[in-house]
Amino acid sequence: MQSNKRHVLFALALFAWVFQLRAQEDKVVPLTVPVERDSIIAPLMPAPVPKDSVLRDSLRRDSLAQKPPLLLDQIKYKAKEYVKLSQKENKIYLYDEAEIYYQDTELKAGVIIMDYVKNEVYAGRLKDSLGNYTQLPYFKQGENVVIPDSIRFNFDSQKAIIWNSRTEQQANAGSLGSESMKVYAEITKKENDSVYFLSEAKLTTAKDTLNPDYYIRVRKAKFVPKKKVIAGLSNIYIADVPTPIAMPFAYFPLAVGRAAGVLMPSFGNDPNTGYFLQDMGYYVPLGEYADLTLSGDFYTNGSYGFRAQSVYTKRYSYRGNFNFRYENLVTSQKGFSDYSLRQSYNIQLSHSQDPKASPNSRFSASVNLGSSEYFRNSLQQRNLPNTQNNTLSSSISYSKTFPAYPSVNMSVTATHSQLTSPTATEENPDNVNLTLPTFQASMERIFPFAKRDGIKKGALQNINFQYDVNAQNRLTTNDEDFLTGRMFDNARVGARHRIPLSTNFKVAKHFSVTVGGNYEDVWTLETFRRRYDATLDRVVTDTINGFDRYNQYNMSASLGTTLYGTFDFGKDKKIQAIRHVMRPQLSYGYAPSFDQFYDEYFINAEGDVDQFSRFEGTLNGAPRLGQSNNLSFALNNVLEAKIRDKDSTKTEPKKVPLLSNLNFSTAYNLEADSVRLSPINMNGGTNILDNKMSINFAAGLDPYAIDNNGRRINTLNINNGGSLLRLTRANVNVSYAISSDMFGKKDEEEEEEEENPFDYVAQSGGRTDDLFGRADSFNDRPMAGGREEEEEGENPIYGTKIPWNFRLAYAASYNNANRQSEFGNHSLMFSGDIELSPKWSVGGSSGYDFKNQGFTLTQLRFERQLGSFSMRFNWTPFGQFKRWFFFIGIDASILSDLKWENRSQQIRR
C-alpha cells in the first residue's frame, strides 16, 4: 500500500516537473526584429530546430555552461534599449543603437542579432513611427567601410552577405588631388578581406548620394576595395533613364596613390588633316617625387605630334615641371604644288626651390623656347590663346651668397628671348637672342672710414665703394640656326668690371648732396680692325682674336631736396585738403674723352679718313669718344587729397592719390656748340575709381625745330612758327577691371584662391589676364569669373544675384619725331564673364585695332554645369584662327573618358 503510494507520488512529481519544464520553455519567446527592407528579403537567421534536438542540445550546454565560447571572451557589445541573451537559440539580441567590436571589425546598427555558437551576426535598420528608416548598419573592417540596409557576417570565415550596400572609395584624380567613387549594390557577397562580388550595382561620382544625376549600372562585378572594379555588361543612366551608351565589360581603377595607366584619346574629323586621334597616351609615376605623361596625336593625312610632360615636387625642397611638344605638319598631298612638310616644337621648363632648403644658394628656371610658329600652326585647340604672345622668354639661374664680411653675391644666368611674330626679313633675319651664360658677382658696400655698427656722419665717414663684375657670352641667331653649331658663329664674349665710389652729406639741413665717381675696366676676347682694300675698292673689317682691354671713368654730383605744399579747404568740406610733394634734383656729370683707343683709317682712294676703335662691335662697345659735360634736371611730383570718409564714425579723413607720380626730366650739354638742350621726358601714372582703373602715360617734348630731313636744328620750335614744345612721341595705357563683388557686401571670411605651382609665367608670355581668351583643356573646368561651384541647384525664383566681371585694356602709342604724326599702336581689348545662374555662365574676349581697322582675336565662351557633368562651347567666329569647340563629359577625372566632344580646326592658308 505504501509502496504503491510512493510510485503514484513519484509519477505525479515527474508529471509536474515535465509540465513545469514545458511551461518554462514556452516562456522563451523569440524576439521579433522590426527590420524591413525594400524589395529584397534577407532571412534573419536559420529556422528554429525541432524541440527534441533543443532538449538534447540543452543537456550539452548545461555541461558547458560554466565555460562560455571563445568569442564572448573577446567581443564587446552594447545597446541603448536592451541586450537580451537567449540560451535556447544561442543568440544575443541588441536593440536601438546597437554596437559590436571584435578585433578590427566594428558594427553599428539599429538591431543586431549575434549567434555566439556559429559566430555570426545579423544587423538591420529600424523603422520609426513615420515610416522612415533610421540607424542603418555601419560595417567597418580595417579601413573598408560599408553602409547597407542589412548585413550577415561570419567572424570565423570573414564572409558576409550584404543587402543594399553603400561604400565610398577614394580614387586618383591626377593633379586635381583625389575624388571619390560611390559604389551601390543590391546584393554584395564578401568573399574575403579584399574581394567582394556585386549584383545589380551602381557606380557614380555624383555628390548627391540619394538621387545621383547619373550612374553606371553594372549587372555583375568583382570589387576590390581601393584597387579596382571589374564589371560585366554596363550602361549609363542619366536621371534614372537608361542611355544607349553601353559596354560589354568595364574596368574602373580605384587605386589610392599614383598608378600607371592609359590615357584615352579624343577623336574627330578635320577637312585639312582628316580623321584624327588626339591626346592618346600613357601615364607613368616615376618614384615618389615625379611622374611622366606621354601622349600623341595622329592624323590620317600623315600629320602627327607627341608630347612629354613631367611634374616633380619634393616638400620643403623643390618643385617644377617639364613639357616637350613636337608636331610634324603635312599640308596637302605629295605631288601637288601646295604640298609642304613642317616640323615645329616647344620646350617649357619650370623649377623653383624652397628658400628653406638652402638659404645661401638658389636655383630657379623658367624656360619657354622652340619654333616661332609652333603656336600659330599648332593643331591643338588649347594652343589658340598663345598665338597672341609675340615673345618667348626663358631664364635659368643659380645664385650663391658668401655671408662672411664683406659678403659676396654670385650668380650664373642663361637667358633666351625669341620673337614669334613673323618679323624676320632677309635684311634682318635674326629673331633669337641668348646669353650663355651671364656671370655676375658683387661685393657689399664698404665704408673704410666708419665703424661697421656705428652711425655715419659727415662726408668722410660716408665715403663708400663697391665692386661688381658682369661677364657675358651673347648670341644672336634665327630659327633655322637655333640649337645648331651655327648659332655660335657670331658670339660676342666680354666682361665689365666696375668700382663705384661715392659719399653723401647734408647742406643747410634741407639739401642732400651726393658726390661720386665710377671706374670701369672692360675686357674682350676679340677686336676688329678696319682698312681700305684698294683691290676691292672698299673698306674691309678684319677680326683679331685674342684678349684685349680698355678702361674709362667718370664723375658726378647731385643736389636734391623735398618740398611739401598743402592746400586746406576746411574740415567741413568733402575735399578737406590737397597735398603736393615735389622732389627736384639737379645733377652734374663729367666724363673725359678716351681718344687713345681710336685710330684713323682711309675710307676711299681719295685719301679721306675716319676714326675707328678696335673695340667697336664688341660686346660692351667702344670707349667714350668726346668729352661729356652735362647738367641734368629732374622733378618728381606726387599729388594726393584728403577726403571726408562716408562713414561718419571715422574722424580721420581718407587719403586718395590724384597722381601717384608725375615726372619731368631734361639735360643741358655744356660741351655742345649748338642744340644743347635735350628733349623733355614726361611720364606719370595714377589709379582712380577705388583702384579699379589704372592709367599710365609718357611723352617726349622737344624745344627745337627740325629741318626737312628730320634733324634737330639750333632754332627753337616757337621761333620757327610752332608751339613752345614739339610733341615727338606719346603713349598711354589704361586698364579697368570691375566685378559684381565690388557692389555687394564682402564675406567676413574670404577664401584665398590657391595658386597652381606649375602655372608659370613663361607659358603665357608674361600675361596673367585672359584678354586673349582661355586655353581649352579637357581636364580644366573653369567657371565664369574664376568662381568655384558654391551651391547646388538653380537661383531662387526671385533671386537677383548674377555674378559678373569685366576687364578692359586700352593702349596707344604716337610717333611724331619726323612730323610723320602716326599711331604705332592703337587698340582696345576687353573680356568679361556672366553667371546667369549657378549652373549657366557665358563669357567672351575680343579687341579692336584702330590702326588696322579690324578686330583682334575674338572668343565666345558658353558653359553649363549639369551636376556631375560639364558642357562647354568655345567659338572663335572669324579671323585667321576661326574655329569652334564643343565638349560634354563627366567632371570627375577618374571617369573623364566618358565624354563627347567635337571641334573644327583652323583653316590652313
Side-chain angles (χ1 to χ4, degrees), residues 822-838:
E822 65 177 9
F823 281 92
N825 175 37
H826 192 197
S827 60
L828 176 70
M829 295 177 291
F830 50 87
S831 69
D833 298 282
I834 301 176
E835 287 190 32
L836 301 177
S837 75

Side-chain angles (χ1 to χ4, degrees), residues 771-791:
L771 289 171
F772 294 130
R774 298 194 186 104
D776 295 318
S777 176
F778 308 138
N779 295 325
D780 299 335
R781 302 179 296 278
M783 295 290 292
R787 291 167 53 92
E788 297 293 334
E789 189 175 358
E790 296 176 353
E791 53 183 310

Side-chain angles (χ1 to χ4, degrees), residues 643-663:
I643 300 178
R644 186 176 68 247
D645 201 298
K646 295 181 181 179
D647 190 352
S648 59
T649 61
K650 296 182 180 180
T651 59
E652 292 294 327
K654 182 170 60 175
K655 292 183 179 180
V656 177
L658 302 179
L659 277 174
S660 301
N661 60 83
L662 178 61
N663 308 320

Side-chain angles (χ1 to χ4, degrees), residues 79 138 145 332 352 394 444 456 495 500 602 669 691 847 890 899 901:
Y138 173 88
V145 176
S332 186
S352 61
S394 308
E444 73 170 300
K456 304 170 184 63
F602 292 102
N669 190 352
N691 294 326
I890 296 177
K899 63 184 178 181
E901 60 188 13

Side-chain angles (χ1 to χ4, degrees), residues 588-603:
Y588 171 75
Y590 171 78
S593 176
F594 297 91
D595 300 337
Q596 63 272 27
F597 297 108
Y598 284 80
D599 300 317
E600 292 184 349
Y601 69 99
F602 292 102
I603 60 175

Side-chain angles (χ1 to χ4, degrees), residues 537-572:
D537 191 23
R538 63 181 177 87
V539 176
V540 296
T541 302
D542 300 324
T543 301
I544 304 174
N545 294 319
F547 176 80
D548 205 344
R549 59 168 293 276
Y550 69 87
N551 62 330
Q552 59 182 358
Y553 56 88
N554 60 72
M555 293 174 289
S556 63
S558 65
L559 175 67
T561 188
T562 303
L563 303 176
Y564 300 91
T566 304
F567 303 91
D568 291 318
F569 301 103
K571 294 186 176 180
D572 57 335

Side-chain angles (χ1 to χ4, degrees), residues 390-403:
N390 295 323
T391 304
L392 302 179
S393 58
S394 308
S395 176
I396 302 175
S397 65
Y398 173 78
S399 60
K400 177 72 174 179
T401 300
F402 300 92

Side-chain angles (χ1 to χ4, degrees), residues 429-444:
D430 297 331
N431 65 332
V432 182
N433 298 305
L434 305 99
T435 58
L436 298 174
T438 297
F439 172 78
Q440 289 180 300
S442 62
M443 183 182 67
E444 73 170 300

